[in-house]
Amino acid sequence: MKLEDVTCIEARRKNIEECFEDVEPVGIALEDCTGGRDPNLTYYWKQILGSMNWEYFGHIKTGDKEKPSLRAPGSSAPAGGGAAGSGAEVLVAPRSPGLLRVSADPGPPRRPCERVMAASKPVEAAGGGGGGGAGLSRWQLALVLGAPILLGAGALYLWGRRAARRGGKGASERKTPEGRASPGPGACGGGGGGGGGGQPDGPGHQETSPLDRAQAAKNKGNKFFKAGKYEHAIQCYTEAISLCPPEKNLDLSTFYQNRAAAYEQLQKWTEVAQDCTKAVELNPKYVKALFRRAKAHEKLDNKKECLEDVTAVCILEAFQNQQSMLLADKVLKLLGKEKAKEKYKNREPLMPSPQFIKSYFSSFTDDIISQPLLKGEKSDEDKDKEGEASEVKENSGYLRAKQYMEEENYDKIISESTKEIEAKGKYMAEALLLRATFYLLIGNANAAKPDLDEVISMEDANVKLRANALIKRGSMYMQQQQPALSTQDFNMAADIDPQNADVYHHRGQLKILLDQIEEAVEDFDECIRLRPDSALAQAQKCFALYRQAYTGNNPLPVQVAMKGFEDVIKKFPKCAEGYALYAQALTDQQQFGKADEMYDKCIDLEPDNATTYVHKGLLQLQWKQDLDKGLELISKAIEIDNKCDFAYETMGTIEVQRGNLDKAIEMFNKAINLAKSEMEMAHLYSLCDAAYAQTEVAKKYGLKPPTL
């Protein structure tokens, strides 16, 4: 037998099948083609050569390269010695007549490190070359018997494939798992054990295991996949699945996942989901399969299922993978918007707490409808009778509504304003604005907008009313995430009433939300110029300057902004908002003790403001990791105001961190029912859905994220 040519195959980190992929003739030379040697390469040499019954004695220095020292089966000397030892260590495998047709030209190398190498001397079929071991070696015995020696599953599989592809003698026809004839060139070949005319029965024959054949089919599928031949890859993966022993769960799950990847390239999303499901059933913590199924569910618009899968992936990856977290965030937002749209449309109107309403109106200084009734608008009749309301002189629905405002009997304001509007009374413009304002407070923006539109269009109405309507409509647009319309309304308000401090104050808040800090500061300055006693505007200007300095990571402007807070609370010691904003900035600077003092002063000024208790509770968690104290303060907030959605949301978030998912879902649902806008509701639904997805993942896979 003559060795006419051999191919150099890179051995670094390649499996058996890859090492024999381009073996056209009867042998193979192995070397580290980089000229150096990876410390881990020894392992791969032993794995590859051990499957062929060759022995590996380490590497020897040859010129400027290290080469492996090998010994053939039954031989007493390492291969490569004598005349054949010209630097290429040759592994010689015999061939049976008809099995392989020796090619004079093995073709161009596939990679730069692969080159064609030829033996410097023919190798004798028996008794020589390798040196004088007594008797016949296994490969020599195999040659005498006319059967191919088994060089491992990969080698035999590829040899059989090539014999079939060339139409050599005895090439058997493979059938696909579906029973069809194996396709022509490029289709998945046999999983092993084929090649010659039937199975040999000589003493040199060894059976390849079903798993080996399955792995070989999978490896071939991988090559088709890399080449973009996805249909062929699917055929190979299908064959691997059919060959794999059912008890080999991890291998089988890999084959299903690989087939799903091929289906994904063909955008066959249902098949992707089905194969990933089988992979996950076999290996419940298979991240690739879970994430691929999540993407398939996204394409199939199965948002709930997508969220559960990507939640499992995030937990398994300890929330470190940006790609999976972005998908989770995307799906949560879509689900939240979808649910909020339906819920908000059919929600029952709910009047917020008196504290919230008073706080809302306190942010306006030029708002006619929030001013107390003037002298003469109400009579002195019965004004001293305990428990009875003062009577208004005129039979006016609007004036009665104003009276109810002073009494904090807010539930009657919309109905009384409606009476004034229907009667087209003297205070129709005021009644429209008052009704619209309370529609906004109960979260009914759709009802508020026509009233605001009508007031804005009343050119003969008081300009303060029209400007106030524009401010409120602009704020409504911002809640609806329509910043362009919001900005347009605020600019129009400034045009028609340039001396209105409220316009600049509220537009400054809008600019902060839009991260336009310099413009926000300009608006607050104009508000302060018009109303030097506006403590709220001065406190919010300090906060805007602090935000600007903090994000710029410049210590000096931060110090200036913090000094500004000190000046504001000194000048306006009764402004609770000043202490609250200063406390938030102090918390950012990790001055927790001083921040806690500021919240205490805020509580002293407004003991019924639930939001301050929530912020103080969060501070305890960040400062002292005092979970009990934090929860106590947030519970106090709910006790003070059982309509404080911020308290329920925060409580739910903490319960998620504690692993109390059912309690968290309960809190989020309460917050959802109190949400004042569709956007706010969508955010809360996202939190609730995230918690629910974690409960489902815990049930299905036993996965739970870290807890406090």
Side-chain angles (χ1 to χ4, degrees):
M1 180 189 74
K2 292 184 178 181
L3 177 63
E4 295 188 12
D5 50 14
V6 287
T7 305
C8 168
I9 308 296
E10 182 183 9
R12 184 192 302 273
R13 294 184 181 85
K14 304 298 179 184
N15 55 36
I16 298 295
E17 186 269 336
E18 286 182 312
C19 288
F20 286 92
E21 179 184 5
D22 286 343
V23 180
E24 293 290 347
V26 294
I28 177 172
L30 300 171
E31 67 171 294
D32 180 9
C33 300
T34 64
R37 180 155 51 91
D38 190 306
N40 295 321
L41 192 58
T42 298
Y43 170 78
Y44 293 97
W45 280 98
K46 288 182 177 179
Q47 290 292 310
I48 294 168
L49 299 168
S51 68
M52 299 157 54
N53 295 315
W54 281 65
E55 295 181 68
Y56 169 62
F57 294 94
H59 276 59
I60 59 174
K61 191 77 172 177
T62 304
D64 61 347
K65 293 187 177 181
E66 287 187 349
K67 304 283 183 161
S69 177
L70 315 171
R71 184 169 66 188
S75 172
S76 60
S86 58
E89 283 67 41
V90 181
L91 310 185
V92 182
R95 60 185 174 91
S96 173
L99 172 63
L100 290 175
R101 176 174 57 85
V102 177
S103 171
D105 178 14
R110 293 182 301 114
R111 293 185 289 269
C113 69
E114 294 175 1
R115 64 182 183 272
V116 175
M117 302 176 68
S120 61
K121 178 181 178 181
V123 180
E124 296 298 326
L136 295 173
S137 67
R138 288 186 60 198
W139 64 269
Q140 291 167 328
L141 179 63
L143 177 62
V144 170
L145 296 172
I149 189 170
L150 187 67
L151 299 185
L156 199 53
Y157 155 62
L158 279 162
W159 285 6
R161 180 201 60 162
R162 294 188 184 281
R165 187 176 68 184
R166 293 172 180 168
K169 290 184 180 180
S172 61
E173 185 183 61
R174 288 290 303 179
K175 298 287 184 179
T176 64
E178 291 80 11
R180 294 168 294 165
S182 182
C188 184
Q199 292 292 334
D201 53 3
H205 171 67
Q206 294 180 8
E207 285 289 342
T208 52
S209 71
L211 181 58
D212 286 338
R213 297 197 298 273
Q215 290 286 0
K218 182 264 291 183
N219 292 334
K220 191 61 186 174
N222 288 352
K223 294 190 186 326
F224 281 132
F225 186 95
K226 291 175 184 177
K229 298 178 180 179
Y230 304 115
E231 294 286 2
H232 293 331
I234 288 167
Q235 292 176 18
C236 292
Y237 295 140
T238 300
E239 177 143 355
I241 291 166
S242 69
L243 289 169
C244 185
E247 68 274 10
K248 298 293 184 180
N249 286 7
L250 295 181
D251 295 288
L252 198 52
S253 68
T254 300
F255 303 155
Y256 276 115
Q257 197 282 143
N258 284 8
R259 191 169 71 175
Y263 279 129
E264 182 181 42
Q265 296 298 318
L266 299 174
Q267 299 187 17
K268 295 185 176 181
W269 305 113
T270 300
E271 288 83 352
V272 173
Q274 289 171 348
D275 272 4
C276 286
T277 295
K278 290 174 182 175
V280 171
E281 287 171 355
L282 293 161
N283 180 5
K285 296 183 180 181
Y286 197 168
V287 171
K288 279 188 177 180
L290 284 164
F291 189 59
R292 181 158 277 118
R293 187 171 67 177
K295 292 187 290 183
H297 281 313
E298 181 194 9
K299 295 293 184 180
L300 294 168
D301 201 31
N302 300 330
K303 297 184 186 70
K304 178 177 175 292
E305 292 81 1
C306 174
L307 179 60
E308 288 179 13
D309 280 346
V310 78
T311 298
V313 171
C314 287
I315 294 172
L316 286 167
E317 295 176 330
F319 297 91
Q320 296 299 309
N321 189 310
Q322 189 74 6
Q323 191 179 12
S324 54
M325 290 178 69
L326 285 172
L327 178 58
D329 185 62
K330 177 183 178 182
V331 177
L332 281 169
K333 286 178 178 177
L334 289 172
L335 272 172
K337 287 180 180 179
E338 192 176 273
K339 291 183 177 181
K341 185 176 183 180
E342 186 64 25
K343 172 79 172 180
Y344 196 76
K345 183 172 61 178
N346 301 311
R347 71 192 288 268
E348 289 293 327
L350 183 67
M351 191 67 67
S353 67
Q355 167 61 29
F356 182 91
I357 293 171
K358 286 188 286 185
S359 178
Y360 174 79
F361 279 110
S362 71
S363 66
F364 295 93
T365 56
D366 279 339
D367 183 5
I368 293 173
I369 63 169
S370 64
Q371 303 302 320
L373 286 169
L374 300 175
K375 288 182 180 180
E377 288 182 330
K378 59 182 178 181
S379 71
D380 294 331
E381 182 183 348
D382 296 329
K383 65 181 178 182
D384 295 326
K385 292 183 181 179
E386 187 177 351
E388 293 186 15
S390 299
E391 295 286 336
V392 296
K393 284 186 174 181
E394 301 181 45
N395 185 21
S396 165
Y398 170 71
L399 293 178
R400 282 194 297 273
K402 290 271 289 182
Q403 185 71 42
Y404 286 131
M405 272 189 70
E406 291 185 8
E407 298 166 3
E408 297 183 10
N409 190 356
Y410 300 117
D411 290 327
K412 293 185 177 181
I413 290 175
I414 289 177
S415 60
E416 291 299 330
S417 298
T418 300
K419 291 176 183 177
E420 180 79 16
I421 294 165
E422 290 175 346
K424 299 187 184 300
K426 174 182 175 182
Y427 301 101
M428 182 173 175
E430 289 86 346
L432 282 165
L433 182 57
L434 183 60
R435 186 171 73 173
T437 301
F438 273 85
Y439 276 143
L440 290 173
L441 286 168
I442 65 174
N444 193 348
N446 290 335
K449 187 176 181 300
D451 285 354
L452 294 171
D453 291 346
E454 189 168 352
V455 175
I456 291 166
S457 66
M458 291 179 172
E459 294 187 1
D460 57 344
N462 188 317
V463 71
K464 297 292 183 187
L465 291 174
R466 295 176 63 209
N468 188 270
L470 282 163
I471 292 170
K472 289 171 180 173
R473 192 175 71 177
S475 299
M476 179 193 74
Y477 283 141
M478 194 60 199
Q479 281 192 331
Q480 295 172 345
Q481 295 184 299
Q482 300 183 70
L485 290 176
S486 179
T487 301
Q488 181 178 306
D489 272 2
F490 278 109
N491 292 344
M492 183 177 174
D495 289 341
I496 67 172
D497 193 9
Q499 300 303 306
N500 189 328
D502 288 345
V503 174
Y504 304 102
H505 178 200
H506 287 268
R507 189 170 70 178
Q509 293 177 333
L510 167 70
K511 297 299 184 183
I512 290 178
L513 291 174
L514 295 175
D515 205 28
Q516 298 171 1
I517 305 300
E518 290 184 5
E519 294 180 31
V521 171
E522 290 176 6
D523 276 339
F524 288 134
D525 280 338
E526 183 63 14
C527 176
I528 293 166
R529 186 187 69 80
L530 293 167
R531 281 191 175 272
D533 60 344
S534 176
L536 200 55
Q538 297 206 32
Q540 290 178 345
K541 175 190 172 182
C542 283
F543 190 72
L545 288 170
Y546 169 74
R547 279 274 304 274
Q548 186 180 42
Y550 184 72
T551 54
N553 199 26
N554 192 332
L556 184 59
V558 168
Q559 292 173 11
V560 172
M562 300 299 277
K563 176 65 169 54
F565 279 119
E566 292 282 356
D567 293 341
V568 168
I569 61 176
K570 185 177 181 179
K571 186 176 180 180
F572 302 101
K574 300 296 185 183
C575 178
E577 184 81 0
Y579 293 107
L581 291 173
Y582 189 24
Q584 290 183 42
L586 288 166
T587 302
D588 280 345
Q589 296 300 308
Q590 298 189 351
Q591 298 182 40
F592 300 126
K594 194 170 183 179
D596 197 47
E597 292 175 12
M598 295 300 107
Y599 283 130
D600 285 340
K601 290 182 179 180
C602 189
I603 289 171
D604 289 340
L605 290 168
E606 293 183 349
D608 56 349
N609 189 333
T611 301
T612 308
Y613 287 92
V614 178
H615 283 298
K616 183 175 169 66
L618 288 170
L619 176 64
Q620 308 311 306
L621 295 175
Q622 186 174 354
W623 178 20
K624 300 178 179 178
Q625 293 77 51
D626 191 340
L627 190 61
D628 292 336
K629 183 64 174 177
L631 289 173
E632 178 188 328
L633 285 163
I634 297 168
S635 297
K636 176 70 172 175
I638 293 172
E639 181 184 326
I640 291 170
D641 181 4
N642 64 1
K643 295 179 180 179
C644 180
D645 56 332
F646 179 46
Y648 290 115
E649 175 188 345
T650 306
M651 183 77 82
T653 303
I654 292 173
E655 294 296 355
V656 167
Q657 297 301 315
R658 297 175 73 196
N660 299 331
L661 297 175
D662 291 336
K663 180 69 172 176
I665 292 169
E666 178 189 345
M667 293 295 104
F668 290 139
N669 280 323
K670 287 184 177 181
I672 286 167
N673 291 328
L674 295 166
K676 299 173 186 67
S677 70
E678 187 176 327
M679 184 179 72
E680 192 178 324
M681 189 178 284
H683 164 69
L684 291 165
Y685 264 122
S686 294
L687 296 176
C688 190
D689 286 338
Y692 181 77
Q694 289 187 37
T695 65
E696 292 300 296
V697 167
K699 290 175 187 175
K700 289 181 180 179
Y701 309 113
L703 296 174
K704 292 184 179 180
T707 58
L708 290 174

Coordinates of all heavy atoms in Angstrom, one line a residue, residues 628-654:
D628 N -36.7 46.2 58.4 CA -37.8 46.3 59.3 C -38.3 47.8 59.4 O -39.4 48.1 59.4 CB -37.5 45.7 60.7 CG -37.4 44.2 60.6 OD1 -37.9 43.6 59.7 OD2 -36.7 43.6 61.5
K629 N -37.3 48.7 59.7 CA -37.6 50.1 59.8 C -38.1 50.7 58.5 O -39.1 51.5 58.6 CB -36.3 50.9 60.2 CG -36.5 52.4 60.5 CD -37.5 52.6 61.7 CE -37.6 54.1 62.0 NZ -38.5 54.4 63.1
G630 N -37.5 50.3 57.4 CA -38.0 50.8 56.1 C -39.5 50.4 55.9 O -40.3 51.2 55.5
L631 N -39.8 49.1 56.1 CA -41.2 48.7 55.9 C -42.1 49.3 56.9 O -43.3 49.6 56.6 CB -41.2 47.1 56.0 CG -40.5 46.4 54.9 CD1 -40.5 44.9 55.2 CD2 -41.3 46.6 53.6
E632 N -41.7 49.6 58.1 CA -42.5 50.2 59.1 C -42.9 51.6 58.6 O -44.1 52.0 58.8 CB -41.7 50.3 60.4 CG -42.5 51.0 61.5 CD -41.6 51.3 62.8 OE1 -40.7 50.4 63.0 OE2 -41.8 52.3 63.4
L633 N -42.0 52.4 58.1 CA -42.3 53.7 57.6 C -43.2 53.7 56.4 O -44.1 54.5 56.3 CB -41.0 54.4 57.3 CG -40.1 54.9 58.5 CD1 -38.7 55.2 58.1 CD2 -40.8 56.1 59.1
I634 N -43.0 52.7 55.5 CA -43.8 52.7 54.3 C -45.2 52.2 54.7 O -46.2 52.7 54.1 CB -43.2 51.7 53.3 CG1 -41.9 52.3 52.8 CG2 -44.1 51.5 52.1 CD1 -41.0 51.3 52.0
S635 N -45.3 51.3 55.7 CA -46.6 51.0 56.2 C -47.3 52.2 56.8 O -48.6 52.3 56.7 CB -46.5 49.8 57.2 OG -46.0 48.7 56.6
K636 N -46.5 53.0 57.5 CA -47.1 54.2 58.1 C -47.7 55.1 57.0 O -48.7 55.8 57.2 CB -46.0 54.9 58.9 CG -46.4 56.3 59.5 CD -47.3 56.1 60.6 CE -47.6 57.5 61.3 NZ -48.6 57.4 62.4
A637 N -47.0 55.2 55.9 CA -47.4 56.0 54.7 C -48.8 55.5 54.3 O -49.7 56.3 54.0 CB -46.4 56.0 53.6
I638 N -49.0 54.2 54.2 CA -50.3 53.6 53.7 C -51.3 53.9 54.8 O -52.5 54.2 54.4 CB -50.1 52.1 53.5 CG1 -49.2 51.9 52.3 CG2 -51.4 51.5 53.2 CD1 -48.8 50.5 52.0
E639 N -50.9 53.9 56.0 CA -51.9 54.2 57.1 C -52.4 55.6 57.0 O -53.6 55.9 57.2 CB -51.2 53.9 58.5 CG -52.1 54.1 59.7 CD -51.3 54.0 61.0 OE1 -50.4 53.1 61.0 OE2 -51.6 54.7 61.9
I640 N -51.5 56.5 56.7 CA -51.8 57.9 56.6 C -52.7 58.2 55.4 O -53.7 58.9 55.4 CB -50.6 58.8 56.5 CG1 -49.8 58.8 57.9 CG2 -50.9 60.2 56.1 CD1 -48.5 59.4 57.8
D641 N -52.3 57.6 54.3 CA -53.0 57.8 53.0 C -53.1 56.4 52.3 O -52.2 56.0 51.6 CB -52.3 58.8 52.1 CG -52.9 59.0 50.8 OD1 -54.1 58.5 50.6 OD2 -52.4 59.8 50.0
N642 N -54.3 55.8 52.4 CA -54.5 54.5 51.8 C -54.7 54.6 50.3 O -55.0 53.6 49.6 CB -55.6 53.7 52.4 CG -57.0 54.4 52.3 OD1 -57.1 55.4 51.6 ND2 -58.0 53.8 52.8
K643 N -54.5 55.8 49.7 CA -54.6 56.0 48.3 C -53.3 56.4 47.7 O -53.2 56.9 46.6 CB -55.7 57.0 47.9 CG -57.1 56.6 48.3 CD -58.1 57.7 48.0 CE -59.5 57.2 48.3 NZ -60.5 58.3 48.0
C644 N -52.2 56.2 48.5 CA -50.9 56.5 48.0 C -50.3 55.4 47.2 O -49.7 54.4 47.7 CB -50.0 56.8 49.2 SG -48.3 57.3 48.8
D645 N -50.4 55.5 45.9 CA -50.0 54.5 45.0 C -48.4 54.3 45.1 O -47.9 53.2 44.9 CB -50.4 54.8 43.5 CG -49.9 56.1 43.0 OD1 -49.8 57.1 43.9 OD2 -49.7 56.3 41.8
F646 N -47.7 55.4 45.3 CA -46.3 55.3 45.5 C -45.9 54.4 46.6 O -44.9 53.6 46.5 CB -45.7 56.7 45.7 CG -44.2 56.8 45.8 CD1 -43.4 56.1 45.0 CD2 -43.6 57.5 46.8 CE1 -42.0 56.1 45.1 CE2 -42.2 57.6 47.0 CZ -41.4 56.9 46.2
A647 N -46.6 54.4 47.7 CA -46.3 53.6 48.8 C -46.5 52.1 48.5 O -45.7 51.2 48.8 CB -47.2 53.9 50.0
Y648 N -47.6 51.8 47.8 CA -47.9 50.4 47.4 C -46.8 49.9 46.4 O -46.4 48.8 46.5 CB -49.3 50.3 46.8 CG -50.4 50.5 47.8 CD1 -51.3 51.5 47.7 CD2 -50.6 49.5 48.9 CE1 -52.3 51.7 48.6 CE2 -51.6 49.7 49.8 CZ -52.5 50.8 49.7 OH -53.5 51.0 50.6
E649 N -46.5 50.8 45.5 CA -45.5 50.4 44.5 C -44.1 50.1 45.2 O -43.5 49.0 44.9 CB -45.3 51.5 43.5 CG -44.2 51.2 42.5 CD -43.8 52.4 41.6 OE1 -44.7 53.4 41.6 OE2 -42.8 52.4 41.0
T650 N -43.7 50.9 46.1 CA -42.5 50.7 46.8 C -42.5 49.5 47.6 O -41.5 48.7 47.7 CB -42.1 52.0 47.7 OG1 -42.2 53.1 46.8 CG2 -40.8 51.8 48.3
M651 N -43.6 49.3 48.3 CA -43.8 48.1 49.2 C -43.7 46.8 48.3 O -43.0 45.8 48.6 CB -45.1 48.1 49.9 CG -45.3 46.9 50.8 SD -44.4 47.1 52.4 CE -45.5 48.1 53.3
G652 N -44.3 46.9 47.1 CA -44.3 45.7 46.2 C -42.8 45.4 45.7 O -42.4 44.3 45.7
T653 N -42.1 46.5 45.4 CA -40.7 46.3 44.9 C -39.9 45.7 46.0 O -39.0 44.8 45.7 CB -40.1 47.7 44.6 OG1 -41.0 48.3 43.6 CG2 -38.7 47.5 44.0
I654 N -40.0 46.1 47.3 CA -39.3 45.5 48.4 C -39.6 44.1 48.6 O -38.8 43.2 48.8 CB -39.5 46.3 49.7 CG1 -38.9 47.7 49.5 CG2 -38.9 45.6 50.9 CD1 -39.2 48.7 50.7

